[in-house]
Amino acid sequence: MPRRRERPLKKDEKATLRAGSRTSCLANMEWLERHQLPRMRWIGRTNRYFQREGLLVDDCTGNGIREKDVALYVAGSSVLHAVDGWSYAGRALESLSRGDAATATHLGYYASLRAAMSLLATEGIGIFNTRHVAILPPPWSAAPPSVISRGTHVIAWFALEHWATYVRSGDLIGKIISPFRIPLSDWLGSRPGNQWRPVARDWLLDWGADLRQLARDRDLRNRASYRPHSDHPSAVSPHHEFVAEVWRLCEPAGGSVFQALDIELLRRSLEVGFQARHGRPAIGDAQFAEEVQQALEDNGQDGNAQLRNTLLRTGGLTDSPLIELAGVSSHVGSATAHLEVISRALLLLRLATGSTAELLRDAGIDRKSVEFWWLELLDARGIWDGGITPSLDELWDDLADALDDVRAAAAAKPPVSAVDWLTGNAASHARLVGLERIAVGGLLF
């Protein structure tokens, strides 16, 4: 029996996606800031769709959608989907440490799905079960929002793919990625023939590759999520070096959780832009070195020798393994396929977290106003005991020993086995799979 291929977006479905807007989501987030967050909840208990998302199907077919409720739900979900995505990614790292590649792949995929749902929610597009809506700004109109009827997995990819074609998607990503608190668009803006938006589009399409593959191949998705994997388990390395690299890229510096990761993306963007303009590789090119120096001067970093050396790959610097893995799509079950899926999920989560953080700032929501939520979250996940409100650096303080342990395990010859790691470093392991710490740091600090 031939595999079922999902049909492309129809004209009216594309129109629905265009109807969603960041302005709409911001207006609803501002309403939450004034009326809902003082009650210490993101989604109100009286919201028709709170824990009853299935009612949206009924409302679409006869009862009429409650525009206010669905709009506020989608706005609040942008934050919650982002955090849940990091939780899935953390559980994927947990699976790595136990040599369980199949479960790591499954959880990595769902981390990507939540990242896409969060990112789209910030753009006024609500992804539910089989009904998906473009939300309206207050005052809520009597006219119902536009609705798309598709499966969640399918529409998440198609919506992300379509949104990637918008000018505003490139503009948003150019604002989110911000080494040294300087937007990527500023770093690249002074370059002649700026090719930034195509780079942003390619990132979205590449990092959403798993959504694309599983949306278009239902059999593959079912095999990854619902079929047995343990008849002949394939033991894999605990991948200590991969876990250490995740935390290196997400270690606070310059007031940002994503400083190291954003520098990696800046370097890649400068190189891709140079090659697009001049038709030759950037690495080792004298003109590229001049352009990098000009970019540093334009952004007040001309005295930052370390950054200059990083951008020019002085000493033969290579890309982060996570960046390299994200650019590869091996067949399911290959030696690195699970790491590739997790890497793409983490990069998509970077974008979703940045987009949501931008929305929170614009709505006037700071970490103090939602302290009731994030302190409880970190306490529940065993990351922070809730005694005092931590600074960003304090939130990372207890990771120092754990990072030393995992780096030592990564460097050990022969490699430290999963049994030895889990029995000898239980406390370190528990801290290193708690990626909700990154979610909170990226959203609110």
Side-chain angles (χ1 to χ4, degrees), residues 254-287:
S256 170
V257 170
F258 300 115
Q259 176 86 308
L261 176 55
D262 286 359
I263 290 173
E264 292 268 347
L265 297 176
L266 169 60
R267 181 173 63 198
R268 178 66 67 91
S269 302
L270 288 168
E271 292 172 350
V272 170
F274 180 87
Q275 182 154 3
R277 291 192 304 277
H278 302 289
R280 62 181 189 270
I283 300 173
D285 189 285
Q287 185 177 352

Coordinates of all heavy atoms in Angstrom, one line a residue, residues 254-287:
G254 N 27.6 37.8 29.4 CA 27.1 39.1 28.9 C 25.7 39.3 29.1 O 25.0 40.0 28.4
G255 N 25.1 38.6 30.2 CA 23.7 38.8 30.5 C 22.8 38.0 29.7 O 21.6 38.1 29.8
S256 N 23.3 37.0 28.9 CA 22.5 36.2 28.0 C 22.8 34.7 28.2 O 24.0 34.4 28.3 CB 22.7 36.6 26.5 OG 22.1 35.7 25.7
V257 N 21.8 33.9 28.2 CA 22.0 32.4 28.2 C 22.6 31.9 26.9 O 23.3 30.9 26.9 CB 20.7 31.7 28.5 CG1 20.8 30.2 28.4 CG2 20.2 32.1 29.9
F258 N 22.4 32.6 25.8 CA 22.7 32.1 24.5 C 23.9 32.8 23.9 O 24.0 32.7 22.6 CB 21.5 32.2 23.6 CG 20.3 31.4 24.1 CD1 19.1 32.1 24.5 CD2 20.3 30.0 24.2 CE1 18.0 31.4 24.9 CE2 19.2 29.3 24.7 CZ 18.0 30.0 25.0
Q259 N 24.7 33.4 24.6 CA 25.9 34.1 24.1 C 26.7 33.3 23.1 O 27.0 33.6 22.0 CB 26.7 34.7 25.2 CG 27.9 35.5 24.7 CD 27.7 36.9 24.4 OE1 26.8 37.2 23.6 NE2 28.4 37.8 25.0
A260 N 27.2 32.1 23.7 CA 28.1 31.3 22.9 C 27.4 30.8 21.6 O 28.0 30.7 20.5 CB 28.6 30.1 23.7
L261 N 26.2 30.3 21.8 CA 25.4 29.8 20.6 C 25.2 30.9 19.6 O 25.4 30.7 18.4 CB 24.1 29.3 21.1 CG 23.1 28.8 20.0 CD1 23.8 27.7 19.1 CD2 21.8 28.2 20.6
D262 N 24.9 32.1 20.0 CA 24.6 33.2 19.1 C 25.9 33.6 18.3 O 25.8 34.0 17.2 CB 24.0 34.4 19.8 CG 22.6 34.2 20.2 OD1 22.0 33.2 19.9 OD2 22.0 35.1 20.8
I263 N 27.0 33.5 19.0 CA 28.3 33.8 18.3 C 28.6 32.8 17.2 O 29.0 33.1 16.1 CB 29.5 33.9 19.3 CG1 29.4 35.1 20.2 CG2 30.8 33.9 18.6 CD1 30.4 35.1 21.4
E264 N 28.3 31.5 17.5 CA 28.4 30.5 16.5 C 27.5 30.9 15.2 O 27.9 30.7 14.1 CB 28.0 29.1 17.0 CG 28.9 28.6 18.1 CD 30.0 27.7 17.5 OE1 29.9 27.3 16.3 OE2 30.9 27.3 18.2
L265 N 26.3 31.3 15.5 CA 25.4 31.6 14.4 C 25.8 32.9 13.7 O 25.6 33.0 12.5 CB 23.9 31.8 15.0 CG 23.4 30.5 15.6 CD1 22.0 30.7 16.2 CD2 23.3 29.4 14.6
L266 N 26.4 33.8 14.4 CA 26.9 35.0 13.8 C 28.0 34.7 12.8 O 28.0 35.1 11.7 CB 27.4 36.0 14.9 CG 28.3 37.2 14.3 CD1 27.4 38.1 13.4 CD2 28.8 38.0 15.5
R267 N 28.9 33.8 13.3 CA 30.0 33.4 12.4 C 29.5 32.7 11.1 O 30.0 33.1 10.0 CB 31.0 32.5 13.1 CG 32.2 32.1 12.3 CD 33.2 31.3 13.1 NE 32.6 30.1 13.7 CZ 33.1 29.4 14.7 NH1 34.2 29.8 15.3 NH2 32.6 28.3 15.1
R268 N 28.6 31.8 11.3 CA 28.0 31.1 10.2 C 27.3 32.1 9.2 O 27.4 32.0 8.0 CB 27.0 30.1 10.7 CG 26.3 29.3 9.6 CD 27.3 28.4 8.8 NE 27.8 27.3 9.5 CZ 27.3 26.1 9.6 NH1 26.1 25.9 9.0 NH2 27.8 25.2 10.3
S269 N 26.6 33.1 9.8 CA 25.9 34.1 8.9 C 26.9 34.9 8.1 O 26.6 35.2 6.9 CB 25.0 34.9 9.8 OG 24.1 34.2 10.5
L270 N 27.9 35.4 8.8 CA 28.9 36.2 8.1 C 29.6 35.4 6.9 O 29.7 36.0 5.8 CB 30.0 36.7 9.1 CG 29.6 37.7 10.1 CD1 30.6 37.9 11.2 CD2 29.3 39.1 9.4
E271 N 29.9 34.2 7.2 CA 30.5 33.4 6.1 C 29.6 33.1 5.0 O 30.0 33.2 3.8 CB 31.0 32.0 6.8 CG 32.2 32.2 7.7 CD 32.5 31.0 8.5 OE1 31.8 29.9 8.4 OE2 33.6 31.0 9.1
V272 N 28.3 32.7 5.3 CA 27.3 32.4 4.2 C 27.1 33.7 3.4 O 27.0 33.6 2.2 CB 26.0 31.9 4.8 CG1 24.9 31.8 3.8 CG2 26.3 30.5 5.4
G273 N 26.9 34.8 4.1 CA 26.7 36.1 3.4 C 27.8 36.4 2.5 O 27.6 36.9 1.3
F274 N 29.0 36.3 3.0 CA 30.2 36.6 2.1 C 30.2 35.7 0.9 O 30.5 36.2 -0.2 CB 31.5 36.4 3.0 CG 32.7 36.7 2.2 CD1 33.2 38.0 2.2 CD2 33.4 35.7 1.5 CE1 34.4 38.3 1.4 CE2 34.6 36.0 0.8 CZ 35.1 37.3 0.8
Q275 N 30.0 34.4 1.1 CA 30.1 33.5 -0.1 C 29.0 33.8 -1.1 O 29.2 33.8 -2.3 CB 30.0 32.1 0.3 CG 30.1 31.1 -0.8 CD 30.6 29.7 -0.4 OE1 30.9 29.5 0.8 NE2 30.8 28.8 -1.4
A276 N 27.8 34.2 -0.6 CA 26.7 34.6 -1.5 C 27.0 35.8 -2.3 O 26.6 35.9 -3.5 CB 25.4 34.8 -0.7
R277 N 27.7 36.8 -1.7 CA 28.0 38.0 -2.4 C 29.2 37.9 -3.4 O 29.2 38.5 -4.5 CB 28.4 39.1 -1.4 CG 27.2 39.6 -0.6 CD 27.6 40.9 0.2 NE 28.7 40.8 1.0 CZ 28.7 40.3 2.2 NH1 27.6 39.8 2.7 NH2 29.9 40.2 2.9
H278 N 30.2 37.1 -3.0 CA 31.4 37.0 -3.7 C 31.7 35.7 -4.5 O 32.6 35.6 -5.3 CB 32.6 37.3 -2.8 CG 32.5 38.6 -2.1 ND1 32.7 39.9 -2.8 CD2 32.3 39.0 -0.8 CE1 32.5 40.9 -1.9 NE2 32.3 40.3 -0.7
G279 N 30.9 34.7 -4.2 CA 31.1 33.4 -4.9 C 32.3 32.6 -4.5 O 32.7 31.8 -5.3
R280 N 32.8 32.9 -3.4 CA 34.0 32.1 -2.9 C 33.9 32.0 -1.4 O 33.3 32.8 -0.7 CB 35.3 32.8 -3.3 CG 35.5 34.2 -2.7 CD 36.8 34.8 -3.2 NE 37.2 36.0 -2.5 CZ 36.8 37.2 -2.9 NH1 36.0 37.4 -4.0 NH2 37.2 38.3 -2.2
P281 N 34.6 30.9 -0.9 CA 34.6 30.7 0.6 C 35.2 31.8 1.4 O 36.1 32.5 0.9 CB 35.4 29.4 0.8 CG 35.4 28.8 -0.6 CD 35.3 29.9 -1.6
A282 N 34.6 32.0 2.6 CA 35.1 33.1 3.4 C 36.3 32.8 4.2 O 37.2 33.7 4.5 CB 34.0 33.5 4.4
I283 N 36.5 31.5 4.6 CA 37.6 31.2 5.5 C 38.9 31.4 4.9 O 39.2 30.9 3.8 CB 37.4 29.7 5.9 CG1 36.1 29.5 6.6 CG2 38.6 29.3 6.8 CD1 35.8 28.0 6.9
G284 N 39.8 32.2 5.5 CA 41.1 32.5 5.0 C 41.2 33.6 4.0 O 42.3 33.9 3.5
D285 N 40.0 34.2 3.7 CA 40.0 35.2 2.6 C 40.3 36.6 3.3 O 39.7 37.0 4.3 CB 38.6 35.3 2.0 CG 38.6 36.2 0.8 OD1 38.5 37.4 0.9 OD2 38.5 35.6 -0.4
A286 N 41.2 37.4 2.7 CA 41.6 38.7 3.2 C 40.5 39.7 3.2 O 40.3 40.5 4.2 CB 42.8 39.2 2.4
Q287 N 39.7 39.6 2.2 CA 38.6 40.6 2.1 C 37.5 40.3 3.2 O 36.9 41.2 3.8 CB 37.9 40.5 0.7 CG 36.8 41.6 0.6 CD 36.2 41.6 -0.8 OE1 36.6 40.9 -1.7 NE2 35.1 42.4 -1.0

